[in-house]
Amino acid sequence: MKKIFALSLIIICFSCTNEKKVSNYTTELNELREINDELIKSNPEDIASIYQLGVKIKNTSLNLYVRYNQFFSDEENEFLLQCAATGSEAAQKYKDAVDYFLKAQRKFPESDNAPIYLHNRARILDNILMDKNNARLAFEELIELYPNHPLSENSKVYLDNVFGKSNEELLKILNSNN
């Protein structure tokens, strides 16, 4: 009888601490959603605020992902990785953003957002990090994995007509078409 009572007491204690954990991480996830909404609504010219929000979003999302990913649904885990990527980009941590966009796509390849993750990765590699070789590979991967997606079609046109060309070459092409 004493064993049953002790076992019941232990189960009750663990379930109470688990409820606190569930409450904590759902509260933190909701706070992250609010911060992310702030970033979306922020003035693009307010670089300091964007940077601060980006750092906060990146750190919060990674903290939640590392500590609680087993408790979250796939949609919530995808949101956390997406926040880590967009937060990194807003915080001007572009190599991190590239890595988190790739991780989100690899972890959730069937997501509607997966092509967007690859496109954002390619865009950052191309326009910000100026890593043309890896940018080309990223665009080609997008085209290969998601051939019917509109971003793939845009990427094909971009690679065929714009990628790697100087401003002078692009102007010459535009002028010759007019």
Side-chain angles (χ1 to χ4, degrees), residues 25 62-74 76-77 80 103 107:
Y25 73 72
L62 290 175
N63 189 356
L64 284 168
Y65 185 78
V66 168
R67 289 186 354 210
Y68 302 120
N69 69 44
Q70 70 273 17
F71 298 112
F72 288 128
S73 67
D74 282 350
E76 291 167 329
N77 277 315
L80 292 173
K103 184 171 182 142
K107 188 128 176 94

Side-chain angles (χ1 to χ4, degrees), residues 6-25 71:
L7 184 60
S8 298
L9 187 60
I10 291 171
I11 290 172
I12 290 170
C13 288
F14 277 118
S15 66
C16 289
T17 59
N18 198 26
E19 285 177 25
K20 284 183 180 177
K21 278 185 181 178
V22 168
S23 174
N24 281 348
Y25 73 72
F71 298 112

